[in-house]
Amino acid sequence: MSDKILSIADGFWNIRGSYKVGGILDVGTQASLVRRQSGKYVLIDAYTLSGEVKAKVDEITGGGKEIEAVLNTHPFHTMHVRAIHAAYPDAKLYGSARHLARFSDLPWEKERMEDEALHALFADDFDFSIPRGVDFISADEKVHFSTVLMVHRATKTAHVDDTLMYMRLPGVAALFGKKDMLSFHPTLSKALERRAGAVADFRKWAEELAESYKNVENLCAAHTAALIGRNYEGSPISERILKALDKVSGTLRSHEAKYG
């Protein structure tokens, strides 16, 4: 999978990069470059930029001088943190508690991605959401369900790592009217908190997310693909989230039966 940069909307670019599982299967990864109302830029998530992609980012941002912050939304997406800081050392660096613990030598800002204080810093441009009823940083490092979901209001674009997955289906599926699919990450069952009320909290969060995404037209998801509203037909993203919630109803019922 070759690196590429997609223009999602005026002021929002999605970078599609390579990530190989076991060094063989390339499931891809992402970062996004976003222009704020101030005219400055932020990078959402880290990726090692090179070649034409880095040249384009530098062209947009005045050689990187206009990038004011890097926001690392997913606590377990850490592979490219050092590289992006080395490329743009003047950009303020934000991460989750796990980022700060894992790379304690880097100049992190005090606000964490999961903190309301950080969300307030960028509230002029973005809406933030964190899944409830699930572990944000799981003790099982293979469980990558949770992230900080971000919506750039000006472009009606969501940037989501892992929690929501979007994929385009093979041609055979299209013959049956199924061209793509939005779903929750398959580690949901392991991410749900082992306590009474966790399922109710998650279900309510998902329903609230769907309601808040009624105006969202584009969704950039890690490891899979970007859903760009102008290019694809189908149900609105808010409806797709509710359908994804319905698909995991069995998982939620099983967990609720065990923990309450």
Side-chain angles (χ1 to χ4, degrees), residues 2 4 20 36 47 58 74 77 84 88 110 112 136 149-150 157-158 177 189 199-200 203 205 239 253:
S2 59
K4 58 185 176 181
K20 293 183 178 180
R36 301 190 68 189
Y47 185 69
D58 287 350
H74 196 300
H77 287 191
I84 204 67
Y88 305 110
K110 64 180 180 179
R112 299 174 181 176
F136 179 63
L149 292 78
M150 293 179 61
T157 303
S189 62
V199 166
R203 188 181 288 113
W205 169 80
E239 292 182 15
R253 283 196 301 269

Side-chain angles (χ1 to χ4, degrees), residues 104 142 152 163 176 252:
S104 59
K142 294 181 180 179
H152 182 232
T163 302
F176 297 93
L252 298 180

Side-chain angles (χ1 to χ4, degrees), residues 74-206:
H74 196 300
F76 288 95
H77 287 191
T78 59
M79 184 179 295
H80 301 278
V81 167
R82 288 193 185 279
I84 204 67
H85 174 64
Y88 305 110
D90 294 331
K92 292 182 178 179
L93 196 59
Y94 295 93
S96 69
R98 187 174 185 274
H99 287 98
L100 274 67
R102 191 173 179 83
F103 302 102
S104 59
D105 58 309
L106 293 181
W108 298 101
E109 299 298 312
K110 64 180 180 179
E111 297 87 358
R112 299 174 181 176
M113 286 301 306
E114 58 268 40
D115 293 344
E116 290 186 7
L118 183 144
H119 305 169
L121 289 176
F122 297 90
D124 288 350
D125 298 278
F126 298 99
D127 292 323
F128 296 81
S129 181
I130 300 176
R132 300 194 301 272
V134 293
D135 295 325
F136 179 63
I137 302 176
S138 175
D140 183 347
E141 297 208 349
K142 294 181 180 179
V143 177
H144 292 187
F145 184 87
S146 287
T147 187
V148 180
L149 292 78
M150 293 179 61
V151 172
H152 182 232
R153 291 190 299 275
T155 59
K156 301 180 180 180
T157 303
H159 178 106
V160 183
D161 282 353
D162 289 359
T163 302
L164 288 172
M165 302 185 70
Y166 170 74
M167 61 187 68
R168 297 170 202 145
L169 301 177
V172 174
L175 296 176
F176 297 93
K178 191 73 172 177
K179 297 181 180 180
D180 58 6
M181 180 175 66
L182 185 72
S183 62
F184 283 105
H185 194 271
T187 58
L188 172 61
S189 62
K190 296 180 179 180
L192 286 163
E193 294 171 338
R194 271 62 172 172
R195 62 170 177 84
V199 166
D201 287 346
F202 176 77
R203 188 181 288 113
K204 185 177 181 182
W205 169 80

Side-chain angles (χ1 to χ4, degrees), residues 1 3 15-21 26-32 43-50 53-54 70-89 93-94 98-99 102-103 106 108 161 222-223:
M1 182 184 297
D3 295 356
I15 298 160
R16 309 304 303 184
S18 176
Y19 174 66
K20 293 183 178 180
V21 177
D26 197 339
V27 297
T29 189
Q30 71 164 346
S32 291
L43 274 167
I44 306 176
D45 289 326
Y47 185 69
T48 304
L49 305 178
S50 61
V53 173
K54 187 174 190 304
V70 179
L71 303 169
N72 292 278
T73 66
H74 196 300
F76 288 95
H77 287 191
T78 59
M79 184 179 295
H80 301 278
V81 167
R82 288 193 185 279
I84 204 67
H85 174 64
Y88 305 110
L93 196 59
Y94 295 93
R98 187 174 185 274
H99 287 98
R102 191 173 179 83
F103 302 102
L106 293 181
W108 298 101
D161 282 353
H223 306 315

